[in-house]
Amino acid sequence: MGTHIAFVAYTTRAVDAAGVRRAFAAALAEIQRIEALMTTWRDSELFRVNQSAARAPVAVGQETFDLLAESVRVGELSSGTFDVTFESLHGLWKFDHDLDPHPPSDAAIRALLPLLDYRHLRLDPAKRTVAFAKPGVKVSLGGIAKGYAVDRAVKLLDDAGLVTFFVQAGGDLFARGKKPDGTEWSAGIRDPRGPAPFAVLPLTDHAFSTAGDYERAYVVDGKRYHHIIDPRTGRPATASRSVTIWAKTALLADEIDDAVFILGPERGLELVEKLDGVGAVIVDAHNHLWISERLRGLVRLTAAPSEGI
């Protein structure tokens, strides 16, 4: 999944250190299993969909199908700002191992922009197949699969009897329970232009996911380019610097953070407030801070977000 995985847990009377480590190993294996199903970097169910679904429907397993169906649902919910067909631009913008600080031309973007639309997916629940409406369409679950994988790992740790732990996959985090001294877990919200967190958010039985323009990014001629692509323009989104989502599941937090980032603070907070148990902290493009209703009084500010490009 191109990220770092971390597990932390307290032992209990029922689960000693060896038991915790066995649970960690099982949880990591589960994340690796999901990656093998859904990666686009090597042969997988999703890789085969991208290879063939424009020619004929491709059968996939239930998990992959369900996550694609969920992606379409969130695409509709977010007015198309969450869109798994961003993979159709693969190779145009280079922010991964192929980092190249040369933005593509307007003509190159215009040529591929018609491929970006989650409505190009044709999902058949009865046959559990995926097809694309036109050649050139590709999908990636990079904006949702990490959250799903974190939730699956959490379930395994729950099933193993752990009661106080967290699971982290890059910017996606879920914290279970309270520490033995009764205090909550807490997560720092990174300053988009500074070295340290500017805020801290307590977490108990909740997920935390951050989308920011500071990862997988470069600056050219005083303008920042980053990997969160607005499917309406084919270009990096410009309304936000960072968005942190607090939600009941890592899947929900992961699938909403990019959408809110692209929508910007006003429309993004409208979406957040419609969703049960979801909160947001947004640093907008002008470095202004926005905190949703559910998180007011919970977020502790430690500094102001730093200025910068």
Side-chain angles (χ1 to χ4, degrees):
M1 294 187 178
T3 194
H4 296 281
I5 307 295
F7 304 106
V8 173
Y10 284 87
T11 58
T12 69
R13 291 181 179 179
V15 186
D16 62 10
V20 169
R21 292 184 183 279
R22 286 193 297 271
F24 285 174
L28 181 59
E30 177 69 354
I31 291 174
Q32 292 169 327
R33 182 190 68 81
I34 293 165
E35 180 187 40
L37 281 178
M38 302 178 187
T39 182
T40 58
W41 294 98
R42 58 184 185 276
D43 187 50
S44 69
E45 286 190 344
L46 210 60
F47 183 88
R48 293 190 288 275
V49 166
N50 284 338
Q51 292 290 105
S52 304
R55 296 191 298 272
V58 177
V60 296
Q62 192 67 56
E63 280 179 289
T64 301
F65 186 90
D66 288 347
L67 213 53
L68 286 169
E70 174 66 6
S71 298
V72 170
R73 187 190 73 83
V74 179
E76 294 171 348
L77 180 69
S78 65
S79 303
T81 51
F82 178 88
D83 195 324
V84 291
T85 63
F86 74 86
E87 182 69 7
S88 304
L89 297 185
H90 182 77
L92 187 65
W93 294 96
K94 298 180 179 180
F95 295 113
D96 294 302
H97 65 286
D98 58 351
L99 183 68
D100 181 2
H102 295 89
S105 67
D106 291 346
I109 295 171
R110 284 197 302 270
L112 295 179
L113 193 57
L115 301 176
L116 271 67
D117 193 328
Y118 69 93
R119 291 168 293 191
H120 291 327
L121 272 69
R122 302 289 185 263
L123 303 179
D124 186 331
K127 296 180 179 178
R128 214 168 57 206
T129 59
V130 184
F132 297 152
K134 60 172 63 180
V137 173
K138 295 185 184 300
V139 295
S140 171
L141 293 171
I144 191 172
K146 279 194 300 181
Y148 174 71
V150 167
D151 285 341
R152 289 293 306 160
V154 167
K155 183 179 186 307
L156 287 178
L157 298 186
D158 284 337
D159 292 347
L162 302 187
V163 295
T164 305
F165 61 85
F166 74 73
V167 177
Q168 182 175 13
D172 297 283
L173 170 71
F174 185 94
R176 173 69 78 207
K178 293 185 178 180
K179 300 176 186 179
D181 64 2
T183 60
E184 293 186 272
W185 297 101
S186 62
I189 302 176
R190 178 172 167 176
D191 185 341
R193 301 292 182 268
F198 72 87
V200 176
L201 179 62
L203 289 177
T204 299
D205 299 333
H206 263 75
F208 170 106
S209 182
T210 296
D213 69 359
Y214 45 83
E215 296 283 2
R216 297 162 60 195
Y218 54 77
V219 176
V220 176
D221 296 331
K223 183 175 180 179
R224 179 175 292 267
Y225 298 87
H226 58 89
H227 73 288
I228 304 173
I229 302 299
D230 185 338
R232 301 168 298 185
T233 65
R235 299 175 178 279
T238 59
S240 309
R241 292 185 173 186
S242 78
V243 168
T244 295
I245 298 294
W246 174 86
K248 293 180 179 180
T249 68
L251 174 65
L252 180 55
D254 196 21
E255 64 191 6
I256 292 300
D257 60 1
D258 283 349
V260 174
F261 187 102
I262 294 166
L263 287 168
E266 292 93 347
R267 292 188 62 201
L269 287 179
E270 286 179 12
L271 173 61
V272 165
E273 300 298 354
K274 291 177 183 177
L275 299 171
D276 183 40
V278 176
V281 178
I282 301 171
V283 181
D284 71 16
H286 305 290
N287 209 37
H288 299 147
L289 182 62
W290 304 66
I291 300 175
S292 69
E293 290 290 341
R294 292 187 184 96
L295 291 184
R296 290 179 185 175
L298 291 179
V299 176
R300 179 170 59 86
L301 301 180
T302 56
S306 302
E307 298 289 344
I309 298 172

